[in-house]
Amino acid sequence: MPDSVSYIAALPEIVLAVGAMGLLMIGAFGGEEGDRKESSGWLGILILAVTGVMLVMQTGTERAFNDAFIADPFARFVKLLVLAGSAAAILMSLDDLRRAKASRFEIPVLILLSTVGMMMMVSANDLLALYLGLELQSLALYVLAAVRRDDVRSSEAGMKYFVLGALSSGMLLYGASLLYGFAGTTSFAGLATAASAPGAATNLGLIAGLVFLLVGLAFKISAVPFHMWTPDVYEGAPTPITAFFAAAPKLAALALLARVLFEGFGGLFVQWQKIVIFLAIASMLLGAFAAIGQTNIKRLMAYSSIGHVGFALVGLAAGSAEGIEALLIYLAIYLVMTLGSFACILAMRREEGPVEDIYELAGLAETNLPMAFILAMLFFSLAGVPPLAGFFAKFYVFAAAVKAELYGLAILGVLSSVVGAFYYLRIVKVMFFDEAKPGFSPTAPYVRFVMIAAGLFVLFYAVYPSPLIDAAAAAAKSLQL
C-alpha cells in the first residue's frame, strides 16, 4: 500500500498531534501568561473541531501502517464522540480552573494528546498499535489527575491512578506477549486465524493471554473487580478533569475492547463471553449498591459510571450486530448524560469555593429552578426513566441481550437499574423537597451551555432518535462480527 494512502487514513490523528505540539509551543513562548491560559483552551477546541470535520469527510474503510491502523465507520463514530467529550471538557474547564487558580495552558495540550491516544486505540488493528494508543492516552491522564500540585487530594488521585494504571499496563503487556508467543503474530487478523484454528479453545497459552489482555482493558474501563482507582481519582481530580475521565477515555476503551474481541478473538467467543458477562454483572451490582451510601456527589458519579460500564458490557456480551449497535447508542447517550451532570456539579459553587456534598443541593428548586430541573432530568435519564434518552439506551442493550437469549443477564440488569434509581431519586428529593440551603454563585456561560444542551438532548431524544440509531447501525456493520 502506498505511503500516501497510509497518511490519509491517519490524517486526523496527525493533524491533532501536530496541533497539540503547536499549542504547546504557543503556550511556552507566546504572550502574557493570562492570555496564554485563555487562548490555549479556545485553540484546543478549534483543533478538535478541525479534526472532527476531517473525520466526517472520510468515507469507507482504509488501512495504514501494514494494517496496524484501520479507519472505518465504527472507528469514526467513536472518534467523533471522543472529540465531542474532549471539547466539552476543555470548555467547562475554562472558567472553573481559572477561579480555582489552577488554570494552566498545559491542560488543553494534555487533553489533546490524550485524545490522540484514544483515537489510536479506537483504530488499533494490532496489539502494538493498541498499546501505543493506550499508553499515550494514559500518560497524559496521569498528569491531568494531579494537575493541582498544591492540592493533596489531586496529588493522591494522580499517584493512585499512575500506580494502578502501570499495573494494568503490565498485565496487558504480559497478555500480549503470551498471545504473540502462541499465535506468532500481533495483528488482529492473525490472532483471529489462531483463535479459529482447531484446538484453540484448549490452548492454555492463548486463553491465558486473552484473560490478561481483558484484565488490562477492564482496568481502563473501571469494570469490577478492577475499579478500585475510580472513586478516589474522580473525587480528587479537578471537576472538569473528572468529567473528561468519566466520558472520553471510557468510550475509547470500550470501543477498543469491542474491536479486540470481535475482530481478534471471534473464534473464542464462548470463552470471552463468560468473562464479559461476569464483568457486566459485577459492575452493575456494585455500581447500584455501593453508591447508595455516598454523600460526595463526585464519588457517587464514580460508582454510577461503574454501573453504566456494566450496562454497556451487556450489549457487548450479546455478541451480535444488534449488541454492538446498542453499545454504540449507549455510549453516545452516556456521554451526553455524564457531561451534563458534571456541568451541574461545576455549577455547585459558592463564594468560598466549590461544594461537593449532596445535601448542599437541598432546596435547589427554590433558589435555582432551571438548574434543579435540568439536573433532575439528567438523573432521571441516568436512572433509565422513560421517555428520557437513558431509558432507550438501557432498552437497546437489554433487548440485544434478550435476543441473544441472555435472559438472566437482562433480568439482573433491570433489577440493578431499579436499585440504582434509588440514589438518583434521593438527590431529586433533596433538591425539590428539603429545606433550602443558600443559593449557588452565578454559573459560567460555558458551563451553562453544556448543561442546557445535555438537558435538551435527554429530554427530546425520543422525538427524533433516527440519526443516532442509523449512524450506530452503519458503524456496527463495519465491525467484523
Side-chain angles (χ1 to χ4, degrees), residues 186-235:
T186 56
S187 73
F188 290 176
L191 291 171
T193 302
S196 302
T202 57
N203 187 328
L204 288 180
L206 208 58
I207 299 297
L210 176 59
V211 169
F212 274 103
L213 193 71
L214 286 176
V215 167
L217 292 175
F219 262 104
K220 301 302 180 185
I221 61 174
S222 65
V224 176
F226 311 106
H227 65 286
M228 63 286 292
W229 59 270
T230 314
D232 292 332
V233 172
Y234 274 42
E235 182 182 7

Side-chain angles (χ1 to χ4, degrees), residues 335-354:
L335 173 72
V336 177
M337 294 188 299
T338 300
L339 290 172
S341 300
F342 275 100
C344 293
I345 293 171
L346 276 169
M348 293 171 60
R349 172 182 285 277
R350 296 197 177 98
E351 289 297 325
E352 60 272 17

Side-chain angles (χ1 to χ4, degrees), residues 65-130:
F65 312 118
N66 293 323
D67 283 354
F69 184 96
I70 181 169
D72 59 3
F74 175 82
R76 282 193 289 276
F77 182 92
V78 179
K79 285 178 187 178
L80 288 170
L81 294 180
V82 167
L83 289 172
S86 302
I90 294 175
L91 190 65
M92 290 194 292
S93 73
L94 291 175
D95 183 75
D96 184 77
L97 294 176
R98 178 182 57 78
R99 287 193 195 184
K101 297 181 180 177
S103 181
R104 295 187 177 88
F105 76 86
E106 298 96 333
I107 292 174
V109 176
L110 288 166
I111 290 177
L112 293 189
L113 290 173
S114 180
T115 306
V116 174
M118 291 178 222
M119 293 174 70
M120 280 190 64
M121 286 165 58
V122 175
S123 284
N125 200 36
D126 185 284
L127 291 177
L128 293 177
L130 176 159

Side-chain angles (χ1 to χ4, degrees), residues 84-449:
S86 302
I90 294 175
L91 190 65
M92 290 194 292
S93 73
L94 291 175
D95 183 75
D96 184 77
L97 294 176
R98 178 182 57 78
R99 287 193 195 184
K101 297 181 180 177
S103 181
R104 295 187 177 88
F105 76 86
E106 298 96 333
I107 292 174
V109 176
L110 288 166
I111 290 177
L112 293 189
L113 290 173
S114 180
T115 306
V116 174
M118 291 178 222
M119 293 174 70
M120 280 190 64
M121 286 165 58
V122 175
S123 284
N125 200 36
D126 185 284
L127 291 177
L128 293 177
L130 176 159
Y131 184 71
L132 284 173
L134 201 63
E135 285 307 291
L136 178 56
Q137 172 219 249
S138 299
L139 289 170
L141 293 182
Y142 301 150
V143 182
L144 283 170
V147 74
R148 285 187 185 165
R149 288 170 293 183
D150 56 346
D151 187 332
V152 175
R153 290 198 311 168
S154 182
S155 300
E156 181 185 348
M159 181 57 70
K160 285 181 177 176
Y161 196 15
F162 172 70
V163 171
L164 292 171
L167 174 64
S168 70
S169 294
M171 289 184 172
L172 189 143
L173 266 184
Y174 181 61
S177 66
L178 282 175
L179 291 170
Y180 175 69
F182 283 87
T185 180
T186 56
S187 73
F188 290 176
L191 291 171
T193 302
S196 302
T202 57
N203 187 328
L204 288 180
L206 208 58
I207 299 297
L210 176 59
V211 169
F212 274 103
L213 193 71
L214 286 176
V215 167
L217 292 175
F219 262 104
K220 301 302 180 185
I221 61 174
S222 65
V224 176
F226 311 106
H227 65 286
M228 63 286 292
W229 59 270
T230 314
D232 292 332
V233 172
Y234 274 42
E235 182 182 7
T239 304
I241 305 303
T242 304
F244 180 59
F245 285 174
K250 275 199 169 55
L251 266 63
L254 279 163
L256 170 63
L257 183 60
R259 190 183 291 281
V260 169
L261 293 179
F262 282 99
E263 297 200 342
F265 298 97
L268 296 174
F269 171 70
V270 175
Q271 283 71 30
W272 63 251
Q273 186 191 37
K274 295 173 184 174
I275 300 173
V276 173
I277 288 173
F278 168 77
L279 293 174
I281 292 173
S283 300
M284 289 188 297
L285 292 178
L286 183 125
F289 287 98
I292 291 175
Q294 301 300 321
T295 57
N296 183 292
I297 195 163
K298 286 167 71 175
R299 289 186 76 87
L300 182 141
M301 289 300 295
Y303 285 109
S304 168
S305 76
I306 292 168
H308 283 281
V309 163
F311 294 126
L313 288 173
V314 171
L316 191 60
S320 61
E322 291 85 358
I324 293 297
E325 182 183 342
L327 170 66
L328 292 175
I329 294 171
Y330 198 99
L331 293 180
I333 293 174
Y334 169 76
L335 173 72
V336 177
M337 294 188 299
T338 300
L339 290 172
S341 300
F342 275 100
C344 293
I345 293 171
L346 276 169
M348 293 171 60
R349 172 182 285 277
R350 296 197 177 98
E351 289 297 325
E352 60 272 17
V355 292
E356 297 175 3
D357 193 281
I358 288 168
Y359 294 101
E360 295 297 329
L361 288 165
L364 184 64
E366 292 182 29
T367 57
N368 191 341
L369 182 58
M371 178 181 163
F373 176 77
I374 291 172
L375 187 54
M377 289 302 102
L378 289 166
F379 278 167
F380 278 138
S381 183
L382 284 165
V385 174
L388 302 174
F391 165 76
F392 293 97
K394 290 182 179 178
F395 173 78
Y396 295 138
V397 292
F398 293 152
V402 169
K403 192 169 182 180
E405 299 183 357
L406 299 174
Y407 304 117
L409 181 60
I411 290 169
L412 280 171
V414 172
L415 292 177
S416 62
S417 189
V418 170
V419 174
F422 167 78
Y423 56 81
Y424 296 120
L425 296 178
R426 181 185 61 171
I427 297 175
V428 175
K429 173 257 178 190
V430 167
M431 289 192 297
F432 282 86
F433 298 106
D434 284 13
E435 186 177 346
K437 291 277 184 80
F440 298 127
S441 301
T443 308
Y446 315 134
V447 174
R448 198 181 310 125
F449 169 76

